[in-house]
Amino acid sequence: MGALSALEETLENRWEALWARVLDKEPVEVLDALRRECDDNAVVCRAGRVMVPNAYDVELADEVHEQLSRQGTDVGQALTDSLSRHAERRGYEFAGPLAVHVARCPDVPNGRYRVASRVMEHVSVDGFFHAAH
């Protein structure tokens, strides 16, 4: 591991430790679940190229969503940044632009959160042009 990668990993671990202290471990568990979802759905396309889904849905129980919202952190952006760094360290390529959508869900199975992934199709510039007119 290069010095820069080691520094990035150290900074990320400290960031996660801070979240764990401030927010009672929930965000670290969500981050771990998000990373597992990415790892579990990795597909080797050819030697040296590993593709992973690019769209992730994180459903949070009401109390977890409220707790994270109170902190004033953009949870979706923080999770996106963390997952992007994880994929970079693993050498993964996303199947398109990365998106992590965070939503409130009162009926998650474990009472705290649920994570799912999928491949979201690319949207072309022409599609945006036609939608605007």
Side-chain angles (χ1 to χ4, degrees):
M1 179 181 296
L4 187 55
S5 294
L7 176 62
E8 286 177 349
E9 190 168 340
T10 300
L11 290 174
E12 181 149 346
N13 288 340
R14 288 189 178 174
W15 180 79
E16 290 173 10
L18 176 64
W19 258 33
R21 264 192 309 242
V22 172
L23 300 174
D24 221 12
K25 296 208 184 275
E26 289 293 352
V28 175
E29 290 180 29
V30 173
L31 282 170
D32 288 344
L34 197 57
R35 290 176 187 146
R36 268 192 315 277
E37 181 71 16
C38 181
D39 293 341
D40 290 349
N41 289 288
V43 176
V44 178
C45 296
R46 63 175 188 241
R49 186 168 187 206
V50 180
M51 300 296 292
V52 293
N54 64 320
Y56 294 81
D57 295 310
V58 178
E59 296 176 333
L60 301 173
D62 289 335
E63 58 275 359
V64 175
H65 190 277
E66 288 173 23
Q67 184 181 22
L68 294 175
S69 298
R70 274 182 277 169
Q71 300 302 317
T73 303
D74 184 347
V75 177
Q77 187 61 53
L79 292 172
T80 301
D81 293 345
S82 179
L83 187 59
S84 178
R85 286 188 301 272
H86 173 74
E88 186 176 329
R89 281 193 303 271
R90 299 280 179 125
Y92 295 158
E93 291 181 47
F94 289 104
L98 175 60
V100 177
H101 180 256
V102 179
R104 181 185 302 246
C105 182
D107 62 342
V108 291
N110 65 6
R112 297 181 323 237
Y113 60 86
R114 174 177 32 215
V115 176
S117 65
R118 67 188 183 288
V119 173
M120 186 170 53
E121 293 185 28
H122 296 14
V123 178
S124 70
V125 173
D126 291 337
F128 279 114
F129 180 74
H130 292 302
H133 295 294

